[in-house]
Amino acid sequence: QLQLAESGGGSVRSGGSLRLSCAAIGRVDITYAMAWFRQAPGKEREFVAAISWKGGTIYYGDSVKGRFAISKDNAKNMWFLQMNNLKPDDSATYFCAADQQLMGPPFRPDDFGSWGRGTRVTVSS
């Protein structure tokens, strides 16, 4: 399992942008795919985006297509989620997750063995 840590969350007004980062902590000896999920209070964890190890395969959840972009820097063991045109419905805690390969679509939380603790995003109208 990888140790993951998210950063970059915060508060923004509707239409604004945020860039989330996820870093793998410590020595990383395996290749892995990663994803972003989000969870709002009282709701199930929702798939946001996923990217393969080499970055050639990318998926997005329907609610973020055209607004969010996932990317990665394997040399730095970091991944990113650029979020544009944010809406109040995007408010949630965002988690990065990783596993050796992508098992979807569809992508379920159980498909990923490593998780960060999350970073909070709040979008006001």
Side-chain angles (χ1 to χ4, degrees):
Q1 284 189 340
L2 297 174
Q3 275 190 288
L4 304 176
E6 304 92 340
S7 60
S11 297
V12 65
R13 299 192 71 167
S14 183
S17 298
L18 283 173
R19 189 190 193 210
L20 305 183
S21 299
C22 175
I25 301 170
R27 182 177 175 178
V28 179
D29 293 327
I30 61 173
T31 61
Y32 44 86
M34 72 83 58
W36 289 94
F37 285 77
R38 66 186 183 186
Q39 189 167 19
K43 295 188 177 181
E44 293 186 352
R45 195 161 292 193
E46 176 191 14
F47 169 71
V48 175
I51 187 168
S52 61
W53 165 247
K54 292 186 177 180
T57 303
I58 291 176
Y59 300 94
Y60 293 101
D62 289 340
S63 61
V64 306
K65 282 180 182 176
R67 301 188 297 122
F68 290 13
I70 189 172
S71 61
K72 61 188 317 195
D73 185 338
N74 288 341
K76 296 181 180 179
N77 290 322
M78 292 193 70
W79 307 265
F80 308 96
L81 185 68
Q82 178 66 42
M83 305 187 296
N84 299 324
N85 190 20
L86 283 161
K87 304 174 182 180
D89 284 348
D90 294 318
S91 297
T93 298
Y94 284 71
F95 300 89
C96 63
D99 213 294
Q100 289 187 279
Q101 59 182 349
L102 297 179
M103 301 300 291
F107 297 98
R108 300 164 298 186
D110 288 347
D111 293 337
F112 296 87
S114 300
W115 289 85
R117 293 187 174 185
T119 185
R120 178 73 185 167
V121 171
T122 302
V123 184
S124 59
S125 57

